[in-house]
Amino acid sequence: MFTLAHITDPHIGPLPQVGARDLLNKRFFGYLSWKRRRHAIHRPEILTDLRRDLANIAPDHVAITGDLTNIALPQEFEQVLQWLNRLGQPDRITVIPGNHDAYVALPWERSIGQWSDYMAGDTGPGEESRPMTAGDFPATRIRGDIALIGLTTAQATSLFLATGTVGHDQLARLEDQLTSLGRKGFCRVVLLHHPPCPDGLAWRKRLVDADDLLSVVRRSGAELVLHGHDHKFGSASIDSIDGRVAVFGVPSASAIADGKRPQSHYHLYGIDRSAKGWEIGVKVRRYDGRETGFVESNAYSVTLERG
């Protein structure tokens, strides 16, 4: 059995020193939101307990589906890299960016590119990761029978928008990879930030080309699609050529309950090949306060039948 931990939207704080010039753009409103409300919701001590819980459980791999920063300050990307280094080695952690990581347009090497070791795909099974650039998504990592396929939906947007886009070229590469990996019998786990099944999601936060992505998954197949973005639990399914695809989202990894969104949770997936296809055991771990840290709050299984 392969164990995969799924965390998302850690919004790592506190904010570094902010200069007036840093706020002469969309960041100004994000900074106000952080100072007024968000700094009290996204708590560094929860992430400390999360790191301790992951160390105790020792999953085979950790997937982080975006929004590691808050307003995409250059210093935030350095801060996140230090946090990732404390969390674990790049070959055990896969990161994809979210909309907050592209809050404003920045050069790749000064922003998301600093996390390349945690995003880069493999050149082949058992081989070293290759250098990463913005055009290298999807980035696929092979771990045993599992293929982790990282997409980016991160893009700088206009004021008050938090939309994402996969894009035509990335979708074409994704379709080729899903088809090839499916023929080889891998359990295909697609990672992206924005929900592909956006029921109840505000228009300004949507994945613009969700219908195109769903069409690719239906034609090519997959087993799991994991996302973040809306700081809530998400559970859906997609009917594909290979059978049902399970879609899961989890709340923010660093949040306390604020009356609108739940407190920090993450999922632990136990992925095992079965006579019918794939058996996915889902364990839900909830932050339960400083005294107890994270506890298991639910557990269930999903069977994905394959021909």
Side-chain angles (χ1 to χ4, degrees), residues 127-191:
E127 298 181 19
E128 294 295 322
S129 296
R130 56 182 167 76
M132 185 80 188
T133 66
D136 284 336
F137 290 98
T140 298
R141 292 176 156 191
I142 304 298
R143 301 293 183 266
D145 290 337
I146 313 301
L148 298 156
I149 306 157
L151 302 178
T152 179
T153 59
Q155 59 179 8
T157 58
S158 302
L159 190 62
F160 305 127
L161 286 181
T163 53
T165 303
V166 182
H168 179 270
D169 292 345
Q170 189 179 188
L171 284 169
R173 294 191 293 269
L174 173 65
E175 185 160 6
D176 289 343
Q177 291 189 25
L178 288 176
T179 300
S180 175
L181 291 165
R183 288 171 178 165
K184 295 174 182 177
F186 286 102
C187 178
R188 297 156 293 178
V189 183
V190 179
L191 310 173

Side-chain angles (χ1 to χ4, degrees), residues 235-289:
S235 179
S237 64
I238 304 167
D239 292 326
S240 81
I241 190 172
D242 293 329
R244 184 164 68 98
V245 181
V247 182
F248 292 108
V250 290
S252 164
S254 63
I256 61 170
D258 66 350
K260 296 181 179 179
R261 301 289 187 272
Q263 75 269 36
S264 172
H265 285 74
Y266 75 93
H267 276 178
L268 190 68
Y269 305 101
I271 305 172
D272 203 4
R273 198 184 293 275
S274 70
K276 293 183 177 181
W278 296 96
E279 193 74 19
I280 314 295
V282 184
K283 294 182 178 179
V284 183
R285 294 193 64 80
R286 180 190 73 227
Y287 180 68
D288 205 40

Side-chain angles (χ1 to χ4, degrees), residues 31-259:
Y31 177 75
L32 287 181
S33 176
W34 176 263
K35 298 296 284 187
R36 289 176 176 175
R37 184 176 62 90
R38 291 171 61 87
H39 78 280
I41 295 173
H42 297 288
R43 305 303 306 160
E45 62 270 19
I46 297 179
L47 293 178
T48 298
D49 285 344
L50 172 63
R51 189 171 71 245
R52 185 180 299 115
D53 196 58
L54 288 170
N56 289 336
I57 291 176
D60 293 307
H61 205 83
V62 178
I64 307 175
T65 51
D67 275 6
L68 290 84
T69 68
N70 294 288
I71 56 174
L73 292 165
Q75 309 94 300
E76 282 191 274
F77 294 98
E78 300 170 8
Q79 181 173 290
V80 167
L81 181 58
Q82 294 172 9
W83 183 81
L84 289 171
N85 289 337
R86 292 192 298 271
L87 188 64
Q89 295 298 313
D91 64 337
R92 301 287 295 274
I93 300 170
T94 296
V95 172
I96 58 153
N99 59 288
H100 277 261
D101 307 318
Y103 212 70
V104 297
L106 286 173
W108 173 259
E109 64 277 2
R110 292 185 58 215
S111 58
I112 296 167
Q114 295 189 49
W115 312 335
S116 288
D117 289 345
Y118 290 90
M119 297 188 295
D122 301 329
T123 54
E127 298 181 19
E128 294 295 322
S129 296
R130 56 182 167 76
M132 185 80 188
T133 66
D136 284 336
F137 290 98
T140 298
R141 292 176 156 191
I142 304 298
R143 301 293 183 266
D145 290 337
I146 313 301
L148 298 156
I149 306 157
L151 302 178
T152 179
T153 59
Q155 59 179 8
T157 58
S158 302
L159 190 62
F160 305 127
L161 286 181
T163 53
T165 303
V166 182
H168 179 270
D169 292 345
Q170 189 179 188
L171 284 169
R173 294 191 293 269
L174 173 65
E175 185 160 6
D176 289 343
Q177 291 189 25
L178 288 176
T179 300
S180 175
L181 291 165
R183 288 171 178 165
K184 295 174 182 177
F186 286 102
C187 178
R188 297 156 293 178
V189 183
V190 179
L191 310 173
L192 77 163
H193 181 65
H194 290 76
C197 306
D199 290 344
L201 190 66
W203 181 88
R204 69 180 189 88
K205 296 182 177 182
R206 76 196 190 284
L207 180 63
V208 173
D209 50 0
D211 288 344
D212 295 331
L213 173 62
L214 291 174
S215 294
V216 166
V217 174
R218 291 185 183 112
R219 288 195 301 267
S220 306
E223 278 61 53
L224 290 176
V225 178
L226 308 182
H227 68 83
H229 187 50
D230 55 356
H231 296 197
K232 297 189 297 185
F233 285 106
S235 179
S237 64
I238 304 167
D239 292 326
S240 81
I241 190 172
D242 293 329
R244 184 164 68 98
V245 181
V247 182
F248 292 108
V250 290
S252 164
S254 63
I256 61 170
D258 66 350

